[in-house]
Amino acid sequence: MNNINLSKVEKIKEDSDYLAGKIGEQLKNSSLFFEEDEVQLLKFHGTYQQFNRDTATELKKKGLAKEYYFMIRTKIPGGVLSAKQYIELDDLSNEFSNKTLRITTRQTFQFHGVIKGNLKKIINNVSKILLSTYGACGDLVRNVTTIAAPIQDKVHSQLRHDALRISSYFIPKSNSYGQIWINNEKYEYKQKQNVKEPIYGKYYLPRKFKIGITIPEDNSVDVLTNDIAILLIFEKECFYGYNIAIGGGFGMTHNKPETFPYLAKPVLSCESSDLIHVLETIVKIQRDFGDRTNRKHARLKYLVAEKGTIWFKKLIEKKLNKSFKEPLKINNLKIKDHLDWHPQGDGKWYLGIFISSGRIEDNKSQKIKTGLREIIKTFNPSITLSTDQNIILGNINEKDKRSIDQLLKKYSIIKNKIS
């Protein structure tokens, strides 16, 4: 790779020893913030360094440092949690952050207002409940999204299974995350790791990379906005394969005509046995051909727009030494509303609860955080976070619906009875 024209972030990744940098050293010092190189690397570990903009100017006038704090993002494939995991995340937010949880458009939770001294306490404890923050941010495959509705049938079970196996497959192999946050091992900056990155390489990806999977009958995940959009094609629970579309993304920079929103374009169809191989090949193509000189022009969509899907399909086939069919014919994508009560297919019910901007908090008008905690502790439902930043409680008995409605009204989470 030509280092002369690399963007600043690319050089930081190159010198990081596979995402370690000096995070371990700076985590232990008395400073309230990290240096710029480590700020970039922290994103891969699931956290962003921020500061209080409201007080920054006044503090600067007084010759004082900014008020630094951190956002931590979890990685929850398909947004699926147990009731126990939810309660433990809620506990962590109360103890170590600003006492709120934020549902994201990638079906994950974020902690906000975390001070530097509490970073490791949250990240370490998240790992203890079998979740992670590794890869929730940064230039790699982010949280994999799918339909949030906990419908109990073969199709939806397959989607949840696929989201989990895809997410697990693309976790970085570097052990710097484990050494710094989990195992309490001393990490010396000049100690070189033996672990390499077979998928991402030394530079990881040029930019963030998003994968979503759904069915044409329910595009509630807005799948075509992902770098890779996967559509499971079926009829009467008989699976015919997966349509793969590439290059989605709505981000753009004003007054920069080289940036633009783009819907993912169909490229091929494949069987389940080839799915992971195809996805890995697409990720590697973006790794090798994506723009590393201009981060505003570094998403997969720009490569797709410039090279075309025919070029992509031929290169995928060449690398895998296998031919693939054209995308299977599908009807127009439909969007389903999963708010309110719905049967989940096994005699039980699920409930979609609207959460404004995904903020689970207590305020003067609503006690969302307290109310959800009581409902979840009392009824032990399944939990799924949705891409529209709402929460779905599943596995609920018919006899409990009225009691849950009453609690939702009691805490003003809803104004009127749902069922």
Side-chain angles (χ1 to χ4, degrees):
M1 184 176 293
N2 183 357
N3 291 348
I4 297 175
N5 296 319
L6 289 181
S7 69
K8 181 179 178 180
V9 175
E10 293 300 313
K11 294 177 181 178
I12 291 172
K13 289 185 285 185
E14 178 184 23
D15 296 336
S16 73
D17 188 19
Y18 295 95
L19 307 180
K22 297 181 181 179
I23 293 174
E25 297 173 29
Q26 293 181 20
L27 188 64
K28 297 173 184 177
N29 66 29
S30 60
S31 173
L32 299 179
F33 58 91
F34 289 85
E35 301 297 334
E36 178 56 30
D37 286 8
E38 279 58 52
V39 169
Q40 296 300 325
L41 298 176
L42 279 169
K43 296 174 184 178
F44 292 83
H45 297 253
T47 185
Y48 281 79
Q49 179 170 290
Q50 301 168 329
F51 63 88
N52 189 335
R53 297 181 184 276
D54 294 334
T55 63
T57 301
E58 188 62 30
L59 288 171
K60 185 177 181 180
K61 289 178 181 177
K62 295 178 180 179
L64 300 175
K66 298 173 183 175
E67 291 181 296
Y68 286 95
Y69 52 85
F70 296 81
M71 179 275 282
I72 298 175
R73 184 180 297 157
T74 57
K75 199 171 186 184
I76 307 173
V80 178
L81 292 161
S82 68
K84 185 175 185 295
Q85 286 173 319
Y86 177 93
I87 295 300
E88 296 205 29
L89 290 172
D90 190 60
D91 286 341
L92 288 175
S93 73
N94 289 334
E95 188 172 0
F96 300 120
S97 75
N98 67 355
K99 303 185 186 303
T100 72
L101 287 169
R102 178 82 180 274
I103 305 171
T104 79
T105 57
R106 300 298 305 171
Q107 297 184 282
T108 69
F109 271 134
Q110 288 180 177
F111 299 90
H112 288 267
V114 181
I115 62 172
K116 184 182 174 189
N118 286 338
L119 273 177
K120 188 167 184 176
K121 294 172 184 175
I122 290 182
I123 294 175
N124 186 277
N125 278 287
V126 165
S127 74
K128 290 179 181 178
I129 59 174
L130 304 182
L131 297 174
S132 180
T133 68
Y134 201 15
C137 321
D139 299 340
L140 31 63
V141 174
R142 303 281 186 91
N143 201 51
V144 179
T145 58
T146 192
I147 297 170
I151 297 169
Q152 300 303 306
D153 63 19
K154 183 178 177 182
V155 172
H156 290 81
S157 295
Q158 184 66 44
L159 291 175
R160 291 188 287 270
H161 169 77
D162 286 337
L164 180 59
R165 70 168 173 144
I166 294 166
S167 183
S168 299
Y169 189 81
F170 287 103
I171 294 172
K173 300 300 185 288
S174 164
N175 58 17
S176 60
Y177 180 86
Q179 288 180 317
I180 293 168
W181 307 105
I182 311 303
N183 299 325
N184 296 313
E185 296 178 14
K186 186 177 181 182
Y187 191 94
E188 298 292 347
Y189 175 60
K190 293 185 179 179
Q191 167 194 339
K192 294 297 181 182
Q193 297 191 74
N194 294 321
V195 177
K196 304 301 181 185
E197 293 283 9
I199 297 175
Y200 295 117
K202 187 175 184 179
Y203 292 85
Y204 293 82
L205 299 181
R207 280 290 266 123
K208 59 187 175 184
F209 199 100
K210 299 178 179 181
I211 299 176
I213 179 169
T214 192
I215 52 178
E217 292 77 5
D218 183 359
N219 189 30
S220 54
V221 302
D222 209 3
V223 73
L224 295 179
T225 64
N226 287 268
D227 293 271
I228 300 179
I230 308 167
L231 289 163
L232 173 61
I233 311 300
F234 72 97
E235 185 175 351
K236 295 181 180 180
E237 294 196 340
C238 179
F239 299 155
Y240 291 103
Y242 298 87
N243 273 8
I244 308 297
I246 55 176
F250 276 0
M252 63 173 291
T253 303
H254 292 290
N255 299 319
K256 297 286 184 181
E258 71 272 19
T259 71
F260 45 81
Y262 203 68
L263 285 176
K265 302 298 185 285
V267 64
L268 59 82
S269 67
C270 69
E271 297 178 357
S272 179
S273 58
D274 289 317
L275 179 61
I276 290 292
H277 301 302
V278 169
L279 301 183
E280 179 181 352
T281 302
I282 295 169
V283 169
K284 287 181 174 179
I285 291 172
Q286 165 66 352
R287 179 197 68 189
D288 295 340
F289 291 90
D291 189 346
R292 293 184 183 270
T293 63
N294 178 6
R295 287 183 65 79
K296 295 184 183 300
H297 188 258
R299 291 289 296 275
L300 177 66
K301 63 182 177 180
Y302 300 114
L303 191 60
V304 175
E306 291 162 10
K307 296 289 189 178
T309 54
I310 295 174
W311 178 87
F312 254 94
K313 185 172 184 289
K314 288 181 178 178
L315 189 53
I316 293 167
E317 291 174 333
K318 179 180 179 181
K319 289 181 176 294
L320 292 177
N321 194 27
K322 183 173 185 176
S323 296
F324 292 96
K325 297 178 181 178
E326 295 299 316
L328 299 168
K329 185 177 180 180
I330 62 172
N331 295 321
N332 291 333
L333 302 183
K334 300 177 179 64
I335 298 176
K336 289 188 177 181
D337 181 5
H338 296 293
L339 292 177
D340 301 343
W341 288 106
H342 302 269
Q344 70 180 28
D346 59 355
K348 296 191 176 183
W349 293 76
Y350 71 87
L351 170 65
I353 302 172
F354 173 74
I355 307 292
S356 180
S357 299
R359 297 184 187 279
I360 296 179
E361 61 183 356
D362 290 348
N363 54 46
K364 292 180 180 179
S365 61
Q366 292 179 300
K367 302 294 181 185
I368 298 174
K369 200 163 192 286
T370 299
L372 283 178
R373 184 181 180 93
E374 182 172 340
I375 292 169
I376 291 167
K377 289 198 76 170
T378 302
F379 299 98
N380 195 40
S382 64
I383 313 291
T384 317
L385 310 178
S386 73
T387 55
D388 49 9
Q389 298 176 274
N390 297 320
I391 190 167
I392 295 179
L393 309 182
N395 211 31
I396 296 170
N397 295 315
E398 171 89 33
K399 64 182 180 64
D400 294 327
K401 290 172 62 182
R402 182 174 179 81
S403 297
I404 292 173
D405 277 338
Q406 290 172 341
L407 287 171
L408 291 170
K409 289 179 67 178
K410 174 184 175 181
Y411 292 103
S412 299
I413 299 173
I414 59 167
K415 303 301 181 183
N416 300 301
K417 184 180 177 184
I418 294 178
S419 61

